[in-house]
Amino acid sequence: MGDGIKLPVINGLGRTNRIDNWWSQPLTMGIGLTAAMIYTFWRLFIYTTEGTISYSLDGHHTVMSPIFSPNVLEWDLFGLSSWDHPTWVNAAVLILWIPFGFRGTCYYMRRVYYRTFFASPVACWVDEPEINKKLGYQGEKRLFIFNNLHRYFLYAAMVILLIKWWDVTHAMTFDDGIGLSLGTLVMGIEAFLLTMYVTSCHALRHLAGGMLDRWTTGLSQIRGKLFGQISILNRSHGFWFWTSLTFVFLGDLWVLAVCEGYVNDVALFVI
Ligand code: FES
């Protein structure tokens, strides 16, 4: 064995031998995540005008903003619907800890924020700041120990996902029957993208069959096949992460635009 190659070849934050645009991906992702956080804060605490989280074409058909869905404040469960809550409390304030926890502890998300916010490292073969080298790997320690909760956030996210599909059925219910509007499509696409994100999750794959030593007989064979199918979806986990996240905000903008009267939703058909 030789001495091997020492990586990176050039020392110093951001220094590298790479000649491609290695910085473009972490930069784009950093801007995307920062914009998502600012928009969420704005929508939760600043632009909280009553009546901009959902709309209805008639008495039944209800389209919810993905940020505020499920609207737990309408639930009779735990007396939430009759709760005299403070003005800053809304459905998103109560529910967003689940998607935040789920996405924040996601294996793919860890890669994104380690690269974009901690430059640890910012890209392959690109050197990181000296402080990172001094601190060493901080993986699942201190605050990051919460990353170990990912599988539990997965369970909660699956419940949210079911409720989202349930909400889609509400958005398909019109006075005159079952139908589809642009708003129904918005909710349906959001639920679909979230489904793909959840079903391509590493923790779900482990749960399905990864935890077994072998897939030889009976149920374990089925779980092995499930593992294989989830592995195929898992290859695009990053794609589903970004598309589902983006659509949360596009969906909210759509609902906001309809509620404020900038655009009109229309029923495409009702049967
Ligand atoms: Fe990304 Fe589970 S690993 S959602």
Side-chain angles (χ1 to χ4, degrees), residues 102 106-108 150 197 201-203 237:
F102 183 53
C106 165
Y107 291 69
Y108 172 78
H150 185 62
Y197 176 51
C201 166
H202 295 71
H237 191 56

Side-chain angles (χ1 to χ4, degrees), residues 101-110 150-151 153-154 157 196-205 234 237-238 241:
F102 183 53
R103 286 186 185 269
T105 56
C106 165
Y107 291 69
Y108 172 78
M109 174 66 163
R110 294 183 210 179
H150 185 62
R151 81 181 65 170
F153 282 118
L154 168 67
M196 297 308 294
Y197 176 51
V198 170
T199 52
S200 59
C201 166
H202 295 71
L204 183 67
R205 181 172 65 163
N234 183 260
H237 191 56
F241 173 89

Side-chain angles (χ1 to χ4, degrees), residues 89-140:
V89 171
N90 52 48
V93 168
L94 294 179
I95 211 71
L96 270 190
W97 62 273
I98 296 177
F100 257 67
F102 183 53
R103 286 186 185 269
T105 56
C106 165
Y107 291 69
Y108 172 78
M109 174 66 163
R110 294 183 210 179
R111 179 188 123 164
V112 173
Y113 69 67
Y114 269 99
R115 288 188 173 200
T116 54
F117 296 136
F118 301 144
S120 181
V122 71
C124 294
W125 203 291
V126 179
D127 201 17
E128 55 189 345
E130 285 305 313
I131 186 159
N132 284 0
K133 296 175 192 168
K134 284 201 188 101
L135 287 174
Y137 179 67
Q138 293 295 311
E140 283 73 37

Side-chain angles (χ1 to χ4, degrees), residues 39-65:
Y39 183 93
T40 306
F41 183 82
W42 174 74
R43 199 64 172 100
L44 258 66
F45 300 109
I46 299 174
Y47 198 89
T48 53
T49 314
E50 199 67 33
T52 59
I53 67 170
S54 69
Y55 66 86
S56 176
L57 285 186
D58 55 31
H60 291 106
H61 172 277
T62 305
V63 176
M64 277 296 304
S65 155

